[in-house]
């Protein structure tokens, strides 16, 4: 199962990708997570990516295409993968088409998780994530029992540096300008579906599973 999860920042791609990965036993490939890890580790890629990430802009296509090309070649992707946050430009989508064709692979599902822009700003600026297990929280909709501590594993909750309002608005603008056109790249293929990301997380997950079968 090779799946692309699309949608604006905050639509729930990461959360849903994590649940699909657990349920279907295929890895979640989040370019955002991989880039944050590279920034934290201080690698060359991390240094190049940091400026764009801090401002809410996009990291260059060659960097993210290179990361994904390496990652889908790893053994755990043999049974499939979930692309979360990639492709984000039409050029990335075309590079992905080429790299899959070269390996005799194809995308089975492209699912767009749709959401309302204003709701996304409040969703993103209120969120935090467990540094240990990745569980997501929100100041209003999903408070942890003890402030700053994960209910599931006791890990510390962290907030992303780019989840402040100014950067979020820029990320949303970038999404509309550069990433929304990627939907048209896939819309006419039989594998494209859209799911309403404003519904409850569990409802969205049920709908995704119904599509994936
Ligand atoms: P995310 O965690 O998916 O919201 O990504 C966080 C940040 O990483 C984005 O705002 C971009 O700066 C960068 N990023 C992640 N994926 C990509 C991509 N496919 N192309 C370019 N930049 C990306």
């Amino acid at each position: 199962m090779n799946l692309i999860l699309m949608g604006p920042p905050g639509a729930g791609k990461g959360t849903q990708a994590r649940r699909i990965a657990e349920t279907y036993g295929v890895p979640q490939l989040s370019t955002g997570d991989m880039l944050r890890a590279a920034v934290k580790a201080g690698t060359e890629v991390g240094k190049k990516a940091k400026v764009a990430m801090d401002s809410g802009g996009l990291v260059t296509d060659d960097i993210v295409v290179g990361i994904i090309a390496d990652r889908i070649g790893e053994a755990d992707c043999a049974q499939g993968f979930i692309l979360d946050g990639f492709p984000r430009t039409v050029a990335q989508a075309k590079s992905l088409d080429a790299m899959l064709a070269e390996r005799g692979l194809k995308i089975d599902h492209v699912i767009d998780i749709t959401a309302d822009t204003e709701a996304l700003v409040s969703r993103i600026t209120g969120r935090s994530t467990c540094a240990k297990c990745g569980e997501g929280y929100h100041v209003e909709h999903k408070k942890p029992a003890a402030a700053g501590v994960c209910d599931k594993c006791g890990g510390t909750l962290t907030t992303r540096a780019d989840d402040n309002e100014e950067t979020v608005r820029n990320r949303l603008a970038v999404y509309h300008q550069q990433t929304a056109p990627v939907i048209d790249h896939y819309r006419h293929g039989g594998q494209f579906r859209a799911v309403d990301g404003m519904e409850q997380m569990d409802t969205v997950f049920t709908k995704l599973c119904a599509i994936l079968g």
Side-chain angles (χ1 to χ4, degrees):
M1 177 180 83
N2 299 330
L3 161 68
I4 298 177
L5 273 189
M6 298 212 41
K13 294 186 299 295
T15 306
Q16 299 296 344
R18 214 154 51 84
R19 289 183 71 175
I20 295 169
E22 279 169 15
T23 306
Y24 290 84
V26 289
Q28 168 193 8
L29 312 188
S30 158
T31 39
D33 284 350
M34 293 184 234
L35 289 167
R36 276 184 290 279
V39 170
K40 203 169 163 199
T43 64
E44 278 310 305
V45 162
K47 283 178 198 155
K48 284 184 192 157
K50 189 174 183 324
V51 179
M53 293 175 80
D54 285 346
S55 69
L58 292 184
V59 173
T60 56
D61 290 336
D62 58 326
I63 290 183
V64 285
V65 167
I67 289 177
I68 288 294
D70 289 345
R71 186 65 186 85
I72 63 173
E74 289 179 25
D76 64 335
C77 292
Q79 302 306 317
F81 48 79
I82 305 160
L83 291 172
D84 159 16
F86 179 94
R88 249 171 159 108
T89 64
V90 172
Q92 290 176 24
K94 288 181 177 168
S95 297
L96 176 66
D97 290 345
M99 89 176 74
L100 293 177
E102 236 172 57
R103 298 167 200 231
L105 298 173
K106 64 175 180 51
I107 295 295
D108 302 300
H109 302 278
V110 179
I111 307 180
D112 183 31
I113 305 181
T114 61
D116 166 71
T117 302
E118 275 313 306
L120 291 175
V121 175
S122 99
R123 258 198 201 182
I124 300 178
T125 53
R127 72 184 179 180
S128 58
T129 310
C130 174
K132 203 165 149 194
C133 74
E135 183 72 6
Y137 292 87
H138 189 275
V139 280
E140 281 164 27
H141 315 301
K142 192 181 165 195
K143 285 186 190 167
V149 181
C150 178
D151 293 345
K152 264 187 156 177
C153 75
T156 305
L157 302 189
T158 57
T159 309
R160 276 171 50 174
D162 60 348
D163 276 354
N164 61 79
E165 181 161 352
E166 192 189 340
T167 310
V168 168
R169 291 204 180 272
N170 195 28
R171 283 158 62 197
L172 289 167
V174 167
Y175 170 81
H176 289 297
Q177 283 158 12
Q178 302 197 54
T179 308
V182 178
I183 293 171
D184 291 326
H185 180 82
Y186 292 113
R187 196 185 294 280
H188 303 296
Q191 73 287 62
F192 181 83
R193 298 286 294 273
V195 165
D196 181 4
M198 299 311 294
E199 295 197 83
Q200 290 294 319
M201 236 159 31
D202 287 344
T203 310
V204 176
F205 182 63
T206 305
K207 289 187 175 175
L208 292 174
C209 290
I211 293 171
L212 301 174

